[in-house]
Amino acid sequence: MSAMQPGTAADPHAGHAMPGMTMRPPATDPHAGHDMSGMTMPDPQADDMATGATGTDLPPGNRPAPAPARDHLADRFWGAQAMAAARDNALRREHGGMTFAMGLADLAEVQLRKGRDGYRWEGQGWIGGDIHRLWLKSEGEGEFGSAVGHAEVQALYSRALDPYWNLQAGIRHDIRPHPSRTYATVGIEGLAPGWFEVGGALFLSTKGELLGRIEGYYDQRITNYVTLQPRIEANLSAQDVAATGTGAGLSTMEAAVRLRYEGVREFAPYIGVAWERRFGRTARFGRARGDDTGGVSFVFGVRAWF
């Protein structure tokens, strides 16, 4: 046995005959024979390591920004034509461009008051997108045991002015009282600063009579399930309309406070107190017919939407 020096690996092919094999000559060093003893190689991380700067702490460079991607990855798998149609239609609709619809019975209540008890409803529904919508509104009231005192319906086109306000225009038709009236309508409604829901409208009848209405309410959440809603509405007229018992100026006003329980938000019962009053010649027209000119009512009902 021959003696081996420590740290020297033995060649496992030493002494083996390998006919037919050609051995590649070792690569030559292009710098062999050059004297580079006086050269120092720059370290690209030397400055950063010296200052400790990393990531966004590094000073900006002057390299041009990479070109933005002009293609879509999905095009490679589903085809550019198919994906273009999907982006123009389905994708846009699913991200806010779809058609929505809602129905809301804001007030459906019984009014208990001195004398004959009554009822009242106020509801609306719409269909459309974020910008354009078709609205239907209805409200009315009456007394139990007698004909409906007031009933109206409106069909409106709504155009969003900004994220909070909508311009509305269309037609209002008063079914009651007799004689009925049809009005051209223009108004605005939206969310005022402080989260007040407000609205106002003008109504021009086919007889040339001009009416106005302003209303507003505020939902004050008491708990996660209980909401207190103050509400006010005023109706005005530019002239006396004896046929409908409407006097010029401020004709009627109502103020109410309703406490709503929203255990199920789509079906919320409420109780409250409402005050209403007829003013000026409207009150005189009412007294002439034997009607009350106003009063306080205890109300209970339900607010529902779908």
Side-chain angles (χ1 to χ4, degrees), residues 1 32 44 46 65 67 74 79 81 132 146 148 152-153 174 179 201 237 250 259 265 274 285 294 301 303:
M1 175 181 289
Q81 185 176 1
H132 307 281
S146 62
V148 176
E152 69 174 56
V153 294
D174 286 5
S237 176
L250 177 62
L259 189 66
R265 299 196 186 282
F285 285 135
R303 180 179 188 266

Side-chain angles (χ1 to χ4, degrees), residues 65-147:
R70 299 293 184 184
D71 60 342
H72 300 277
L73 181 60
D75 293 354
R76 305 176 189 177
F77 301 94
W78 306 101
Q81 185 176 1
M83 288 308 303
R87 281 188 288 272
D88 290 341
N89 299 316
L91 191 63
R92 179 167 53 84
R93 287 199 306 270
E94 296 300 327
H95 285 76
M98 70 277 285
T99 299
F100 301 93
M102 181 179 183
L104 169 66
D106 204 12
L107 300 177
E109 65 187 27
V110 174
Q111 299 178 329
L112 306 179
R113 56 197 176 210
K114 184 179 179 180
R116 186 173 293 179
D117 298 332
Y119 54 87
R120 180 183 176 185
W121 78 86
E122 184 172 330
Q124 55 193 326
W126 56 263
I127 184 171
D130 293 335
I131 307 298
H132 307 281
R133 291 180 180 177
L134 173 64
W135 283 75
L136 295 175
K137 298 181 178 180
S138 177
E139 65 177 72
E141 60 183 359
E143 296 179 343
F144 291 111
S146 62

